[in-house]
């Protein structure tokens, strides 16, 4: 019984680790204190986010970068 549970648990973690980690598109800024995954994006171009409502503005507060929705 325990081994069956372990097998299922192990299989599910294996499956989730095979998924690509959330990340920005190529040639787009990925980090703003935290990692910003697509469909959100910082830029520099409009292909980095799915819609202008998803555009992230990276603000610098005394050396700490924090993401904000720019709209
Ligand atoms: C952010 O601000 C700090 C100090 O306020 C400054 O030293 C740093 O160069 C700034 N970083 C950027 C990327 O502008």
């Amino acid at each position: 019984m325990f081994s069956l549970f372990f097998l299922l648990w192990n299989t599910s973690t294996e499956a989730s680790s095979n998924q690509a980690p959330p990340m920005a598109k190529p040639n787009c800024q990925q980090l703003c204190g935290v990692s910003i995954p697509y469909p959100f994006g910082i830029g520099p171009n409009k292909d980095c986010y799915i819609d202008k409502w998803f555009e992230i503005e990276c603000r610098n507060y005394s050396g700490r970068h924090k993401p904000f929705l720019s709209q």
Side-chain angles (χ1 to χ4, degrees):
M1 189 58 188
F2 177 78
S3 60
L4 178 63
F5 172 78
F6 181 80
L7 183 69
L8 290 172
W9 178 80
N10 195 43
T11 307
S12 64
T13 41
E14 181 86 1
S16 61
S17 67
N18 284 340
Q19 287 175 350
M23 60 180 294
K25 281 188 157 188
N27 306 316
C28 295
Q29 185 179 335
Q30 161 88 11
L31 289 172
C32 179
V34 295
S35 181
I36 310 295
Y38 192 79
F40 295 94
I42 300 161
N45 61 66
K46 62 179 173 55
D47 291 336
C48 291
Y49 36 89
I50 203 164
D51 185 271
K52 67 183 173 72
W53 297 99
F54 289 80
E55 183 180 2
I56 301 296
E57 187 179 307
C58 195
R59 296 186 196 167
N60 183 1
Y61 290 106
S62 51
R64 293 176 186 273
H65 294 87
K66 295 197 171 174
F68 287 86
L69 284 172
S70 68
Q71 296 293 318

